[in-house]
Amino acid sequence: MRRIYQITGPDREHFLQGLVSNDVKGLASGPVYAALLTPQGKYLADFLLVPRGEAILLDIDAGIAEAAVKRLSMYRLRADVQIAPSDLKVYRGTGPAPEGAVTDPRDPAMGWRLYGEAEGDDGTDWDAIRVDRIIPETGIELTPETYILEAGFERLHGVDFRKGCYVGQEVTARMKHKTELRKGLTRVLIEGAAPPGTPILSADGKALGTLFTRSGGRALAHLRLDRAEGEMLALDAGIRRDPSAPL
């Protein structure tokens, strides 16, 4: 379930620009996907920012909404900004977009979102899309231990490296300029049963990562990419990296 807030006031874009991972100037052309991080660069929240007249809508998972808005409000200081709950709801789908809908900025496969009185979706199998496109979900693949580059935020248009400073920017920039990430979210092939959150082990019992969302014979997993080779195990399920998954 999602919760929608309205961010208003003449300083709203400047206020967000110094806090979130993406460049809010992109709101001039449509929704922006972004994250709020700790000063140590770890994930606190992810959300969509959507321009709507003289306001910016904050579209966020209901489970983290209150804490995220409280954190944002801590940074208001003297900024002329108001953050208030909205009665708007979000309806989403992947078929023909209704009038007034906006495109999900993460990936074209995630379809459209319509803000109004209706809530829900058109029956799309979102887990299948997320596994296919390697798109993390709040509270599942995205946790307080997540670094957003390891979760694919650059590929999902959720981070900008030219916008200047924001909370957690220094750590994120250092990770960007490494030669390669040793850990990350990827797609794996799975045979057998194992619930989300199951540790993934090598054949000799070494910890390699964690299994997350599953769709059919494929799943998302956070892995030590430099060590996750050959057959792996998650309880009794056999795991191996999907060779078609982007690195």
Side-chain angles (χ1 to χ4, degrees):
M1 184 178 293
R2 306 293 288 186
R3 195 170 290 174
I4 311 300
Y5 290 80
Q6 285 199 128
I7 303 175
T8 56
D11 295 338
R12 60 189 181 278
E13 288 194 11
H14 179 74
F15 166 72
L16 289 168
Q17 186 76 326
L19 295 176
V20 305
S21 62
N22 212 343
D23 190 344
V24 299
K25 293 177 182 176
L27 289 167
S29 55
V32 168
Y33 181 50
L36 181 65
L37 309 179
T38 68
Q40 295 76 34
K42 290 190 175 183
Y43 168 92
L44 281 172
D46 67 310
F47 36 77
L48 299 181
L49 299 171
V50 183
R52 193 177 179 92
E54 295 300 308
I56 298 170
L57 301 184
L58 176 73
D59 174 352
I60 188 168
D61 184 274
I64 62 169
E66 186 175 344
V69 169
K70 184 177 180 180
R71 177 62 70 104
L72 285 170
S73 298
M74 286 172 49
Y75 292 103
R76 281 178 52 201
L77 302 176
R78 297 181 181 177
D80 190 352
V81 173
Q82 296 78 45
I83 306 174
S86 170
D87 292 333
L88 292 170
K89 296 178 174 60
V90 59
Y91 189 86
R92 58 183 183 151
T94 54
E99 184 177 354
V102 298
T103 301
D104 190 311
R106 291 172 290 180
D107 189 292
M110 292 296 285
W112 47 264
R113 304 172 85 86
L114 180 66
Y115 297 93
E117 296 181 358
E119 185 173 31
D121 62 41
D122 64 353
T124 292
D125 186 342
W126 299 106
D127 281 351
I129 292 175
R130 292 199 307 102
V131 170
D132 183 61
R133 308 297 291 181
I134 314 181
I135 299 172
E137 179 72 14
T138 308
I140 304 176
E141 292 84 19
L142 295 172
T143 75
E145 296 305 310
T146 300
Y147 290 101
I148 60 172
L149 295 192
E150 293 181 352
F153 267 61
E154 185 173 8
R155 175 174 47 82
L156 298 173
H157 317 293
V159 60
D160 188 284
F161 296 101
R162 297 170 297 179
K163 60 167 281 186
C165 293
Y166 58 90
V167 179
Q169 180 265 342
E170 185 176 349
V171 174
T172 305
R174 283 206 305 267
M175 292 184 72
K176 164 68 176 173
H177 293 104
K178 284 184 174 181
T179 54
E180 61 180 346
L181 293 173
R182 293 188 301 168
K183 301 177 184 177
L185 188 68
T186 190
R187 190 172 60 240
V188 296
L189 306 177
I190 178 170
E191 294 183 7
T198 300
I200 297 175
L201 307 177
S202 65
D204 58 359
K206 293 180 180 178
L208 295 177
T210 305
L211 182 70
F212 291 113
T213 302
R214 179 174 182 170
S215 176
R218 304 190 299 173
L220 296 179
H222 188 268
L223 289 177
R224 277 293 302 261
L225 300 174
D226 57 341
R227 298 180 183 175
E229 301 294 340
E231 294 294 328
M232 298 171 279
L233 292 172
L235 293 179
D236 295 328
I239 304 287
R240 53 193 175 90
R241 288 182 65 176
D242 186 340
S244 66
L247 296 176

